[in-house]
Amino acid sequence: MASLSINFPILPTNPLPSSSNPNRLLPSSFSHLNSSPLISSSSHVSRSSLSLSRLSSRNSFVIELQTNKKKMKMNKASNHSIVATVNTKPELLKIMISGAPASGKGTQCELITKKYGLVHIAAGDLLRAEVAAGTENGKRAKEYMEKGELVPNEIVVMMVKDRLLQPDSHENGWLLDGYPRSSSQAKALEDLGIHPDLFILLDVPEEILVDRVVGRRLDPVTGRIYHLKYSPPETEEIASRLTQRFDDTEEKVKLRLQTHNQNVEDVLSIYKDVTVKINGSAPKEDVFVQIDNALAGLREQKKATFASVEVGI
């Protein structure tokens, strides 16, 4: 028998059980692990995050102790295997952010990653990178793209999952930008055990969004984005060469907003317990203050609720 002395985050809505039996913390299907000789020596793991999942094999289970330090595999002559990881950063954040076109999401993502060091993951960029790298998922996606078809959700979801499992995401936390965009994508992530600590929604009135999009212009030489009203070009020379995206018209942006609004409501129904709405119509500095307050509060809450529990295996 081995004893793991671990720390893991307990949310306020899930208080520690009153029973002194540590197995009360485990799903009933894992209770028999207490009598299984999986490890021959006693191990002590401090400041760890515990999660458990049942594998396809009838008697196969995985205990994951999330880590940013090292990963350990402990196997014994048994039908069970334990994968343990030590987490010394209980305050790591898992954030999703959503916003309509021209809501300022890109700007806020830059500010968030700069201050909190989160790994910024945008599904569109990820898709293009996978295709360019020629990965298995990228090859599958390319087949659909070359036919002019949408890449199936399951391919994109696996790309996102694989990216979230990379070491830098585990070590620094992550910011998932503009994804999931539909309830089916959100449910697929949930089925994979991917759930955010916070879902940020940038809330901007439609008339402001339309004004932002219609006045947007691109400098084809530098790639910089200007706005005729809010961020005009510095010189007449630059102004003369600016171009407008074909879909940055009032008619087309309203159609895009309609689609976005329909989809975001479905997504919010899944993340309603962790959603925070941010007034995105304010100046970008004020918008970030709202987001910063939410993230700082969340990080402090995660530290404060990090409890120590001894689990016998």
Side-chain angles (χ1 to χ4, degrees):
M1 177 183 294
S3 177
L4 300 181
S5 180
I6 68 170
N7 296 324
F8 65 96
I10 304 295
L11 297 178
T13 54
N14 295 293
L16 293 174
S18 57
S19 169
S20 60
N21 180 5
N23 288 326
R24 285 289 302 278
L25 293 171
L26 307 180
S28 58
S29 58
F30 291 92
S31 59
H32 72 282
L33 289 179
N34 191 46
S35 59
S36 181
L38 302 180
I39 313 174
S40 58
S41 61
S42 179
S43 303
H44 183 272
V45 182
S46 64
R47 301 184 69 80
S48 304
S49 177
L50 175 68
S51 63
L52 302 98
S53 59
R54 184 165 188 164
L55 302 182
S56 57
S57 175
R58 183 177 178 183
N59 292 316
S60 180
F61 299 87
V62 170
I63 297 180
E64 293 185 0
L65 304 173
Q66 298 301 322
T67 184
N68 72 316
K69 287 286 186 179
K70 63 180 180 178
K71 184 178 288 185
M72 301 175 291
K73 278 193 176 182
M74 296 171 283
N75 296 309
K76 189 81 174 175
S78 168
N79 289 330
H80 308 289
S81 67
I82 292 181
V83 178
T85 318
V86 183
N87 179 11
T88 58
K89 289 186 177 181
E91 72 277 12
L92 287 180
L93 301 178
K94 298 177 290 183
I95 308 299
M96 292 179 179
I97 185 169
S98 178
S103 63
K105 185 163 55 66
T107 298
Q108 295 307 318
C109 284
E110 290 180 7
L111 295 172
I112 292 170
T113 53
K114 181 178 180 180
K115 177 164 184 177
Y116 289 89
L118 304 181
V119 175
H120 181 209
I121 303 171
D125 295 341
L126 189 59
L127 178 61
R128 288 185 286 273
E130 293 270 336
V131 171
T135 65
E136 189 61 35
N137 282 328
K139 292 176 182 177
R140 294 175 60 198
K142 188 177 181 180
E143 293 178 4
Y144 289 93
M145 295 168 69
E146 288 179 341
K147 297 176 184 177
E149 300 175 359
L150 292 176
V151 179
N153 281 344
E154 58 267 23
I155 296 179
V156 182
V157 167
M158 290 309 297
M159 287 183 180
V160 171
K161 172 185 174 260
D162 291 345
R163 185 64 186 87
L164 293 176
L165 291 177
Q166 293 298 312
D168 58 344
S169 296
H170 277 296
E171 293 171 5
N172 302 304
W174 46 262
L175 173 65
L176 192 51
D177 177 1
Y179 195 88
R181 295 183 178 180
S182 66
S183 59
S184 61
Q185 293 172 352
K187 289 175 182 176
L189 291 178
E190 290 290 302
D191 290 342
L192 292 171
I194 298 171
H195 188 78
D197 296 318
L198 198 67
F199 185 92
I200 299 172
L201 176 64
L202 296 179
D203 191 22
V204 183
E206 181 173 311
E207 59 271 19
I208 295 179
L209 292 171
V210 172
D211 186 41
R212 288 179 179 179
V213 171
V214 173
R216 197 161 53 185
R217 297 291 186 274
L218 169 68
D219 183 346
V221 175
T222 64
R224 180 176 174 181
I225 301 294
Y226 291 92
H227 192 281
L228 299 181
K229 181 190 297 184
Y230 305 116
S231 180
E234 298 88 349
T235 66
E236 287 295 328
E237 179 185 356
I238 296 176
S240 65
R241 66 180 185 233
L242 296 183
T243 61
Q244 184 180 29
R245 275 178 42 171
F246 75 95
D247 56 348
D248 278 356
T249 63
E250 183 172 350
E251 179 182 4
K252 291 184 177 180
V253 74
K254 285 185 176 181
L255 289 175
R256 289 158 60 196
L257 290 176
Q258 183 179 2
T259 300
H260 167 80
N261 292 335
Q262 291 172 346
N263 289 335
V264 79
E265 288 301 321
D266 293 336
V267 173
L268 287 178
S269 67
I270 296 175
Y271 299 123
K272 58 185 178 182
D273 59 326
V274 292
T275 294
V276 57
K277 288 190 177 183
I278 301 295
N279 176 16
S281 59
K284 63 181 181 182
E285 296 83 5
D286 295 340
V287 173
F288 182 66
V289 168
Q290 299 174 65
I291 294 175
D292 189 25
N293 288 338
L295 295 182
L298 173 62
R299 189 163 62 177
E300 289 306 310
Q301 180 187 24
K302 287 169 72 72
K303 288 181 180 179
T305 57
F306 205 66
S308 178
V309 178
E310 184 172 297
V311 178
I313 298 181

